[in-house]
Amino acid sequence: MIKAVIFDVGGVLVQSPFIAISAYEQELGLPANYINVSLSRRGPEGAFQQYERGELAFTEFVDQWTNELNDTNANNTAFRRYLQRNELDTRMALPQQTRVSGATLFARMMAVAETPNECVVELVRWLKACGYRVAALTNNFKDAGDSDRLKPLFDVFVESAVEGLRKPDPRFYLKACERLRVGPSEALFLDDIPVNLRAAKALGMEAVRVEIGRETLAVDQVKHILRTRGAYPPPAKI
């Protein structure tokens, strides 16, 4: 039976930073998802990922990230692979030079994250009223403003910048479970990024994806799952 629900923050509780990334790609005339691919191509050793684990100071992060975002040789190679994987047009022209500002992009991502997804916030309150334990499991940054603002909603708040771990590292998910005093099979996890959801499922968690503009559908899916697998009876409505 599910006894606890674990929430991502960006893209789940608050609006997705991918909204800002997409807008910046369009502003710079870059192909859709070009910056996203650049952001993830270095895996856990990228500047963004290191900053989420609290390993870089902000100025060091911005300088390193800007260099990575403008490394067109490496980024174009990664983007070609992305196009091939997704059966997209591999013949499209890619930029030979870019002027991506890591500082500008980061500021815009954080600005978008100031807006809550109200239906998901209400879901958290409803779950607590039902008797479920609730946690946030967030890849965030030192002095992240959303932490202080959102912490009162949760029984447990687990942050990558504090723990030195980030999703999709399974140890990070297990910290949330331990602090909630549940096993992975007793937890339901919400996130907007498929690789993070796959990691949760591999541990035995139930997982629900939250997509931009479809947040209410995710809320309905959570309620549907808890009707059959939840440890506590839900009220008729949120």
Side-chain angles (χ1 to χ4, degrees), residues 34 37-38 41-42 67-68 70-81:
Y34 188 87
V37 172
S38 171
R41 69 173 174 81
R42 291 175 60 88
N67 289 335
E68 291 175 7
N70 291 293
D71 182 354
T72 51
N73 287 334
N75 293 338
N76 286 353
T77 298
F79 195 71
R80 294 276 184 212
R81 289 197 295 266

Side-chain angles (χ1 to χ4, degrees), residues 211-226:
E211 299 183 75
I212 295 171
R214 299 167 65 87
E215 294 85 3
T216 57
L217 293 179
V219 170
D220 291 343
Q221 188 176 352
V222 170
K223 294 168 65 179
H224 176 74
I225 292 168
L226 294 179

Side-chain angles (χ1 to χ4, degrees), residues 122-132 219-220 222-224 226-227 230-238:
E122 286 305 310
L123 176 62
V124 176
R125 296 191 177 107
W126 175 76
L127 289 165
K128 291 187 74 173
C130 291
Y132 291 95
V219 170
D220 291 343
V222 170
K223 294 168 65 179
H224 176 74
L226 294 179
R227 286 192 190 102
Y232 310 102
K237 62 180 181 178
I238 297 178

Side-chain angles (χ1 to χ4, degrees), residues 62-102:
V62 166
D63 289 345
Q64 187 174 322
W65 195 35
T66 297
N67 289 335
E68 291 175 7
L69 290 170
N70 291 293
D71 182 354
T72 51
N73 287 334
N75 293 338
N76 286 353
T77 298
F79 195 71
R80 294 276 184 212
R81 289 197 295 266
Y82 161 80
L83 294 173
Q84 291 171 350
R85 283 197 310 272
N86 292 278
E87 298 183 347
L88 299 173
D89 182 9
T90 57
R91 297 170 299 176
M92 72 167 62
L94 298 183
Q96 298 306 303
Q97 185 176 13
T98 55
R99 296 193 301 274
V100 181
S101 166

Side-chain angles (χ1 to χ4, degrees), residues 201-214:
K201 289 180 180 179
L203 289 169
M205 295 182 185
E206 187 72 49
V208 171
R209 185 178 182 186
V210 181
E211 299 183 75
I212 295 171
R214 299 167 65 87

Side-chain angles (χ1 to χ4, degrees), residues 1 4 28 40 55 74 77 98 103 108 127 134 147 151 153-154 161 186 201 205 212 214 236:
M1 300 290 282
L28 296 177
S40 62
E55 297 170 1
T77 298
T98 55
R108 293 184 184 186
L127 289 165
V134 292
S147 299
K151 275 181 180 177
L153 287 170
F154 294 96
E186 298 174 306
K201 289 180 180 179
M205 295 182 185
I212 295 171
R214 299 167 65 87

